Amino acid sequence: MHDVHSSRPELSSLFSAIESKLMATWGDAAVVANSKELTMSFSHLPIEVVRHWVQSEQLCADSENTVVYVLNGWAARNKGEVGGKKAHPLTKEEQTTLLSESIRLPALSTSYRLAILAHVHWFLPKELQFKACALLGSGLFTESPQEAERLVAAGTFPHAWLLGKPRPGAAGSSAAQPGAAAGDAGGAGPFTQTGAAAGGGTSASAGALPEIRLEAGEKELQAAIASVLKGKPGTTAVAAGPTRIIQGFALQAGFEITQAPSASGRVHCAPHMRFATDTEGVHPWRAWASVAAKVQLCAQRSDAPGVFSHTAQVAAALENVPVSWPHFFGPEPISSVQELSGFVVGGRLVVVARVLELQ
């Protein structure tokens, strides 16, 4: 669509109107990623429109990772159409290559560029991708920016692969918790018990840091504590919390209650975070990826409701098994929910996990 636009100036107003409509609905990649409705409606767009979307300077995103995440969902739901049943002047490989050329590689996080992108089947050509990622990781273009310009001018690499800048971040896309997330937004869900064998950069958009809110009621916490204490050694109860797509990663958080190994009759109650399970098989890297993360955990205290003054900044390698922080509420394990009364407000324990950085 951009090519036609540039060669036919008389169509400028038409294409401006189309772009305005496109961006009004799908103009924030983070909002699209976190909405089932928008994700499904986006999946019905033809490749010409999707290509226009990814090329648009108006497209907002909390990270270029999220643009890849949205496109990967679109590609997975259009396997039979892209280069398939419908007649198209370009082959499937040619079509997806056109999408790939618009991904801004320098704006991807380290893990996306060096590990995840290699497993995104539609991102082509792979040989050229590996060369570009190796050059970007070498630091060459920091020392010699003109070398990137030379390679792009020579047609060796697409402009976006070496010179692409971060997209504008939408102030509201990461700050507010979506009501219809691609996962399940909201508070922590019911506790489920497992045995001992079961288990756990890019900056945020402009505005507030992206966050996940975890909640659990006193009664369900006490029931979970009692259940874990009655179980075999190593028994754990997990409250599966909300899922949010943040900077291209599907993150799930919740509470975990685990028997304290060195204190009989006591447990650790800890917030935890992990990659959400990919039930649709659209993003297979969730099963094996490991991402360096910095997270700020914040809890309100009963003597200052609404003020999340109890904080801790933690660093962890996030994976598809929970990473928990058992000493967040205090160094000692507990035997009942009453020992957490200093953090319970209105009968609920609430923690906010703010994502500071995902590498």
Side-chain angles (χ1 to χ4, degrees):
M1 294 177 75
H2 274 287
D3 296 337
V4 176
H5 183 209
S6 61
S7 62
R8 299 286 300 277
E10 68 274 16
L11 297 179
S12 178
S13 59
L14 174 61
F15 279 99
S16 294
I18 293 173
E19 181 159 18
S20 295
K21 173 65 175 177
L22 184 63
M23 292 300 129
T25 306
W26 301 284
D28 188 330
V31 172
V32 175
N34 279 286
S35 167
K36 288 182 179 179
E37 181 180 353
L38 290 177
T39 295
M40 291 309 298
S41 62
F42 187 85
S43 71
H44 295 302
L45 296 178
I47 191 168
E48 292 83 0
V49 175
V50 174
R51 183 186 174 201
H52 187 76
W53 177 84
V54 73
Q55 289 178 336
S56 175
E57 293 298 327
Q58 296 183 39
L59 177 61
C60 296
D62 60 344
S63 166
E64 191 71 6
N65 298 356
T66 306
V67 177
V68 175
Y69 189 95
V70 171
L71 287 177
N72 197 62
W74 176 88
R77 295 177 178 89
N78 286 274
K79 288 180 181 178
E81 299 298 334
V82 179
K85 300 175 183 177
K86 296 182 178 179
H88 198 282
L90 301 178
T91 65
K92 178 179 179 180
E93 182 172 327
E94 289 171 333
Q95 292 176 61
T96 53
T97 296
L98 290 175
L99 291 182
S100 305
E101 288 178 351
S102 299
I103 297 299
R104 304 177 182 189
L105 294 189
L108 291 173
S109 70
T110 301
S111 55
Y112 249 79
R113 190 169 64 240
L114 299 184
I116 292 174
L117 203 59
H119 296 271
V120 176
H121 71 277
W122 55 265
F123 196 95
L124 301 169
K126 288 298 181 189
E127 297 81 2
L128 198 62
Q129 170 205 325
F130 297 148
K131 290 179 181 179
C133 290
L135 288 172
L136 288 168
S138 71
L140 170 64
F141 302 140
T142 302
E143 297 180 11
S144 180
Q146 64 272 19
E147 185 61 9
E149 296 172 0
R150 183 189 70 81
L151 290 169
V152 170
T156 307
F157 296 99
H159 181 277
W161 285 20
L162 301 189
L163 299 172
K165 304 295 183 183
R167 300 177 192 271
S173 65
S174 293
Q177 184 120 320
D184 293 313
F191 278 88
T192 55
Q193 186 168 309
T194 63
T202 57
S203 62
S205 298
L209 291 171
E211 61 183 38
I212 304 177
R213 184 182 177 93
L214 322 175
E215 294 188 44
E218 278 185 291
K219 290 184 178 179
E220 65 175 315
L221 280 170
Q222 187 55 51
I225 291 171
S227 178
V228 167
L229 290 176
K230 291 178 182 178
K232 297 178 180 179
T235 298
T236 297
V238 175
T243 295
R244 283 202 64 194
I245 313 303
I246 297 176
Q247 297 172 34
F249 296 99
L251 302 180
Q252 185 178 48
F255 291 110
E256 181 177 284
I257 295 177
T258 308
Q259 289 184 9
S262 58
S264 177
R266 303 184 77 82
V267 301
H268 287 294
C269 178
H272 76 256
M273 190 173 288
R274 60 174 292 175
F275 289 151
T277 303
D278 182 20
T279 55
E280 296 181 339
V282 174
H283 309 285
W285 61 78
R286 289 192 199 172
W288 53 260
S290 184
V291 178
K294 290 182 182 178
V295 178
Q296 183 185 47
L297 302 173
C298 310
Q300 59 183 339
R301 300 188 64 91
S302 57
D303 57 359
V307 180
F308 288 78
S309 58
H310 180 75
T311 64
Q313 184 169 317
V314 296
L318 294 182
E319 299 179 322
N320 70 332
V321 292
V323 178
S324 62
W325 297 279
H327 303 298
F328 174 65
F329 294 113
E332 300 299 326
I334 62 173
S335 59
S336 73
V337 73
Q338 281 70 37
E339 294 178 60
L340 294 175
S341 60
F343 302 100
V344 175
V345 176
R348 300 191 70 76
L349 181 67
V350 180
V351 172
V352 170
R354 294 175 179 147
V355 178
L356 305 178
E357 187 175 337
L358 291 170
Q359 292 285 345

